[in-house]
Amino acid sequence: MSNDKKITRRELIENMKTIAAGGALAGTVPWISLLSENVPAAVPASDKVNVGFIGTGSRGKALIRYANNVPAINIAATCDNYEPNFKRGLQIAKGSPKGYKDYRKLLEDKSIDCVIIATPLHLHAQMVLDAFDAGKHVFCEKALTKTIEEAKQVSRAQKKTGLILQTGHQRIFDIRYLKAFEDMKAGKLGKVTQIRAYWHRNGDWRRHVPKPSLERKINWRMYREYSLGLMTELASHHLQVANWFLGSTPEKVMGSGSINYWKDGREVYDNVNVVYRYPGGIHVVYDSLISNKHYGCELQMMGDKGLYELELGKFYSENPPAPAGILRLINDIEHSIFDPVPIAGASWVPENASKYKGEYIVDMHKSRIPNNTLLSLEAFAETVKKGKPVPGMLEHGIDAAVAVILGDKAMVENKIVNFSEELA
């Protein structure tokens, strides 16, 4: 199957909406209806939403660049209390945004409709709550919260105020994931029994510190006061997908974590392995490390009829199409000549990995698929214009945060953690 098909944005969004409205998905992915088939070249100022950016570090700056390309967004203000980030945020934002060093002052600005929060994790919950108190809608980067109590507080506040809360889980706006979700619901994978996900990098995750007093401010990901490391920064993406596809949340989790390579004073693990048990005995196995990047990042969803590799965007059938005549003949000859004869019977024959290369979930090259972060910001702007939260969007952020928080707890306390007990 070719994956180099040319496709326009109109065709892509129409395809996404068709998928979202299809029998298996009807009503389950309502956020897709927010996307426009055509992005207008210009939007009247009265139709724009005024956005304030809180946090203009590495992720905040990336989100600003995406927001610059969303016609419905006017970047009205940026905020950061670290001078280099403060200046850089104002430089890269289009228009003439106001600059703030105290996010509470930004929240006092009555002209701002909503905020995008991209700060260190430990600040997320309080900033979301303060934004709600100020009557602002919120887009908050993942993980949404650092503790279970914060998750409960944020959930209660959103339900009380009715304001919009969208978390930066952009895979729900990726057509490959949507198509895979549709096909899975239609039975393409068969009975799903396991998800295996991993995120491997090679690097110390540290950033340059101009003076020692800024170590914890700049390298906040290294310290437990501010972050849960690989779980909240990376695993949250894959746990959100697992919750979404399985239509449930974990029952329990066990795991082991360690600092076995970067012994540089950090407090968070550089190597994590966790196993989540979902209803029906389904296991989600996740591991992450930052001392080897060979396998990169992937989420493999396995059923008795097939397997997804969702980051790659491919499907592998358990019963792949037979090779063409001559190839089959060659294959048969090779196996009759070279295959070992098991001494103790067939049960001892090793099961080698399949060499079947699979097929693409969506028939187009990945370079032609619009950026899912850009689409998520477009949808956020449209949600704000409508003034009504999208059903289920709160749970995507809350449930993913809870999963990674309790996964970390299982490793730290070296025990099986039951979700029902922790959430009681």
Side-chain angles (χ1 to χ4, degrees):
M1 180 182 290
S2 168
N3 69 319
D4 196 29
K5 181 180 178 181
K6 293 183 179 180
I7 190 168
T8 65
R9 176 193 168 92
R10 169 178 284 278
E11 292 171 326
L12 173 69
I13 301 301
E14 285 179 347
N15 287 344
M16 292 174 76
K17 288 184 175 180
T18 298
I19 292 170
L25 294 195
T28 64
V29 285
W31 53 89
I32 299 305
S33 65
L34 300 165
L35 301 176
S36 173
E37 287 84 351
N38 297 304
V39 177
V43 172
S46 59
D47 287 343
K48 292 176 179 281
V49 295
N50 292 321
V51 179
F53 273 83
I54 301 176
T56 55
S58 58
R59 184 57 180 169
K61 290 195 287 282
L63 290 174
I64 288 175
R65 291 189 175 96
Y66 286 122
N68 282 339
N69 293 294
V70 178
I73 286 180
N74 172 53
I75 301 178
T78 65
C79 174
D80 204 289
N81 61 10
Y82 180 50
E83 188 67 21
N85 290 346
F86 173 79
K87 291 180 178 178
R88 187 62 176 150
L90 289 172
Q91 289 171 355
I92 65 176
K94 286 184 177 179
S96 302
K98 301 174 187 177
Y100 294 93
K101 293 186 178 179
D102 184 338
Y103 80 92
R104 291 165 294 190
K105 296 295 184 183
L106 182 151
L107 293 177
E108 292 173 1
D109 188 334
K110 301 298 184 182
S111 69
I112 293 176
D113 301 306
C114 56
V115 295
I116 293 177
I117 298 172
T119 60
L121 172 62
H122 73 295
L123 300 173
H124 285 184
Q126 190 59 55
M127 288 179 169
V128 171
L129 295 173
D130 289 344
F132 283 164
D133 285 343
K136 313 295 187 189
H137 302 293
V138 178
F139 179 107
C140 183
E141 263 303 334
K142 55 76 202 156
L144 182 56
T145 68
K146 182 175 178 287
T147 70
I148 296 299
E149 182 55 36
E150 288 175 348
K152 292 178 179 179
Q153 292 173 0
V154 167
S155 181
R156 287 194 295 264
Q158 190 282 322
K159 292 173 182 175
K160 179 180 178 180
T161 63
L163 291 165
I164 292 154
L165 176 58
Q166 181 176 324
T167 309
H169 290 299
Q170 63 267 35
R171 284 161 178 78
I172 61 175
F173 293 94
D174 191 310
I175 190 173
R176 295 167 298 181
Y177 281 76
L178 287 164
K179 185 68 173 77
F181 185 53
E182 178 195 40
D183 290 346
M184 182 202 71
K185 289 293 185 183
K188 191 168 186 175
L189 287 184
K191 180 178 174 59
V192 176
T193 54
Q194 186 179 114
I195 295 174
R196 182 172 61 190
Y198 52 86
W199 204 316
H200 297 176
R201 293 177 172 178
N202 195 339
D204 62 8
W205 224 5
R206 288 191 170 278
R207 302 183 187 277
H208 172 70
V209 178
K211 54 183 180 181
S213 61
L214 293 173
E215 163 62 16
R216 295 175 78 88
K217 184 177 185 67
I218 293 175
N219 285 315
W220 56 272
R221 291 179 181 84
M222 305 290 109
Y223 304 99
R224 286 199 161 270
E225 181 180 354
Y226 317 112
S227 173
L228 302 184
L230 295 171
M231 294 302 294
T232 47
E233 301 306 310
L234 299 181
S236 52
H237 282 300
H238 285 160
L239 268 297
Q240 180 272 321
V241 172
N243 291 341
W244 173 28
F245 273 62
L246 297 177
S248 59
T249 54
E251 296 175 337
K252 61 182 67 176
V253 60
M254 64 189 78
S256 178
S258 64
I259 302 173
N260 68 5
Y261 189 82
W262 297 105
K263 300 180 183 297
D264 53 4
R266 70 185 61 213
E267 298 169 358
V268 299
Y269 299 136
D270 63 9
N271 188 324
V272 300
N273 297 262
V274 286
V275 179
Y276 293 87
R277 182 185 174 95
Y278 280 72
I282 299 172
H283 290 160
V284 174
V285 183
Y286 180 84
D287 76 87
S288 185
L289 54 83
I290 48 175
S291 55
N292 186 289
K293 63 182 180 181
H294 178 77
Y295 283 108
C297 170
E298 189 53 82
L299 187 150
Q300 300 168 328
M301 187 170 297
M302 289 165 268
D304 60 349
K305 293 183 180 179
L307 174 148
Y308 286 143
E309 287 192 335
L310 289 170
E311 297 288 348
L312 186 60
K314 297 191 79 172
F315 168 74
Y316 304 85
S317 173
E318 281 290 280
N319 298 292
I326 187 64
L327 295 178
R328 171 173 283 233
L329 177 60
I330 293 173
N331 182 69
D332 291 344
I333 293 173
E334 288 178 341
H335 278 269
S336 66
I337 296 174
F338 298 112
D339 274 8
V341 176
I343 295 174
S347 63
W348 292 88
V349 178
E351 300 229 7
N352 296 320
S354 171
K355 294 182 180 180
Y356 169 49
K357 294 183 179 180
E359 60 189 65
Y360 285 93
I361 295 169
V362 175
D363 191 20
M364 70 182 75
H365 193 274
K366 64 181 180 180
S367 65
R368 301 190 187 282
I369 297 176
N371 184 277
N372 50 30
T373 298
L374 180 65
L375 293 180
S376 71
L377 292 179
E378 287 184 21
F380 176 64
E382 290 302 315
T383 312
V384 172
K385 288 167 68 173
K386 295 179 184 298
K388 185 177 180 181
V390 174
M393 195 61 78
L394 169 68
E395 288 75 16
H396 279 292
I398 292 290
D399 292 345
V402 168
V404 295
I405 291 166
L406 295 185
D408 180 74
K409 181 182 178 71
M411 291 185 287
V412 171
E413 298 184 5
N414 192 29
K415 69 176 187 180
I416 297 174
V417 172
N418 289 290
F419 279 57
S420 60
E421 295 176 4
E422 298 295 329
L423 299 176

